[in-house]
Amino acid sequence: MLTLGFARRFTEYQRPNLLLHDPERLCRLLTVRERPVQIVVAGKAHPKDAAGKWLVRKWIQLVYEHPEGRAHVVFLEDDGIALAQALVCGVDAWINTPRRPWEACGTSGMKVLVNGGLNVSVLDGWWNEAYEPAVGWAVGDRESHGAAAHEPSPASDAADAEHLYHLLETEVVPAFYERDALGLPHAWVARVRASMARLVPRFSTNRMLREYVERLYHPGKDRFARRSAYDRALVRELQAWQHDLAGAWQAVRIGSVAFSPHEGEQVCAAQVFLGTIPPDAVRVQLFADGTEPGGSPVVVELARGQAIPDADGGWLYRGTAPDGRAPERYTLRVVPYHPDALVPLEADQILWQR
Ligand SMILES: *Cc1c(COP(=O)(O)O)cnc(C)c1O
């Protein structure tokens, strides 16, 4: 029997009762004679979350009020790691229907991947990044309804429930039950293969831990060793650097900033006045937003040229803005710099061109 499952914190924005939107339709879906479906639900509500507890009661009620569906739905009490482990490896498909955009992550759906389960989920949290049609099913659209997590949005809840039923009836159940002569559900297996092959390497604890080690823990260990060496000489140097920056930053200012075209690129020449701050203690950069929404910003380091005579720590900086975009899309900025410091964590000054 096709086994759907989910385990949730029973709280309003998680919408654990979205499947109960139309109990008659749900019971019909569960009890088609040749294509039966069963649902395993687990979860807890916070003792002070009355709405959450009411949502648990709605699932229990369904089981009592619809005798024909009773054999097809089970609510498991006391959700915990052991129960979750059995659930994520026992279900064929995992359902997650939070209200967008309030799902932080949705790790339980990732746990299903390695067990060969498929995801049927709202495009939020990890599924918003992972979903493509070959690997599972998406409930609803990418719109966000309701400004607050607890702000109900009846119209979009109804639309998402309708879409979820429709997906289950017309895609999920058929894909599971359409079998060849040997009893193999090819469309289903193809999705399982795509889901495991494409998503397991990305959404895995191995990948996460390796990245923590390579990007953070090892560099952190090396940094600690450098700072501890020679009686912590580097620590004292960094403290003096921080102290000097903090005391003198107010005097930093940006003078003229001019662009001139040169061989299809924009050459920037800028005056920066650093007061008593040594020029090696800062970087002067051109900054522009990424070209796509959410894309990485463009940061161009300018090179320091001559000192400006008789000026208060004044220097000329030059650099080339690379990608042909208009000069007014760039903003000059001055930020602290030390080869061993973490900026902005350890020095958060920043001066933007006005
Ligand atoms: C995975 C897991 C969670 C978190 O699940 P989400 O989908 O991220 O909300 C909570 N409790 C248990 C017992 C789990 O195994």
Side-chain angles (χ1 to χ4, degrees), residues 249 252-254 332-335 349-354:
W249 190 261
V252 178
R253 71 194 169 80
I254 296 169
L332 193 88
R333 69 181 186 182
V334 186
V335 289
Q349 291 87 356
I350 188 162
L351 178 69
W352 291 98
Q353 174 191 3
R354 284 173 195 276

Side-chain angles (χ1 to χ4, degrees), residues 8 80-81 84 106-108 111:
R8 285 278 83 76
I81 288 183
T107 39
S108 47
K111 299 177 209 171

Side-chain angles (χ1 to χ4, degrees), residues 50-130:
K53 288 194 279 192
W54 181 81
L55 294 170
V56 175
R57 204 168 305 135
K58 296 306 280 182
W59 272 101
I60 310 286
Q61 257 176 25
L62 174 90
V63 176
Y64 284 104
E65 287 173 7
H66 295 80
E68 73 284 11
R70 196 175 293 173
H72 296 254
V73 178
V74 60
F75 184 91
L76 300 175
E77 294 175 14
D78 268 334
D79 185 24
I81 288 183
L83 177 60
Q85 187 171 16
L87 255 181
V88 294
C89 68
V91 297
D92 298 302
W94 190 256
I95 294 178
N96 189 22
T97 55
R99 185 173 294 142
R100 262 180 67 91
W102 296 102
E103 179 66 285
C105 187
T107 39
S108 47
M110 301 180 195
K111 299 177 209 171
V112 168
L113 296 176
V114 75
N115 293 294
L118 296 177
N119 281 274
V120 182
S121 175
V122 163
L123 289 166
D124 201 6
W126 81 286
W127 194 235
N128 193 35
E129 296 173 37

Side-chain angles (χ1 to χ4, degrees), residues 9-11 44-53 56:
R9 277 180 307 116
F10 272 63
T11 192
K44 282 178 182 165
H46 188 278
K48 289 186 178 161
D49 184 348
K53 288 194 279 192
V56 175

Side-chain angles (χ1 to χ4, degrees), residues 168-223:
L168 292 172
E169 290 159 354
T170 63
E171 296 199 31
V172 180
V173 174
F176 186 83
Y177 280 111
E178 272 157 25
R179 312 261 166 150
D180 68 5
L182 293 172
L184 290 175
H186 287 278
W188 188 274
V189 172
R191 269 199 164 83
V192 171
R193 282 172 183 267
S195 160
M196 293 182 83
R198 296 182 200 181
L199 302 184
V200 168
R202 274 170 71 201
F203 297 94
S204 83
T205 319
N206 288 7
R207 195 270 307 149
M208 176 192 72
L209 204 55
R210 190 180 310 115
E211 284 183 13
Y212 269 114
V213 169
E214 289 171 356
R215 296 186 192 178
L216 297 164
Y217 301 161
H218 276 168
K221 176 192 63 124
D222 295 343
R223 194 174 292 117

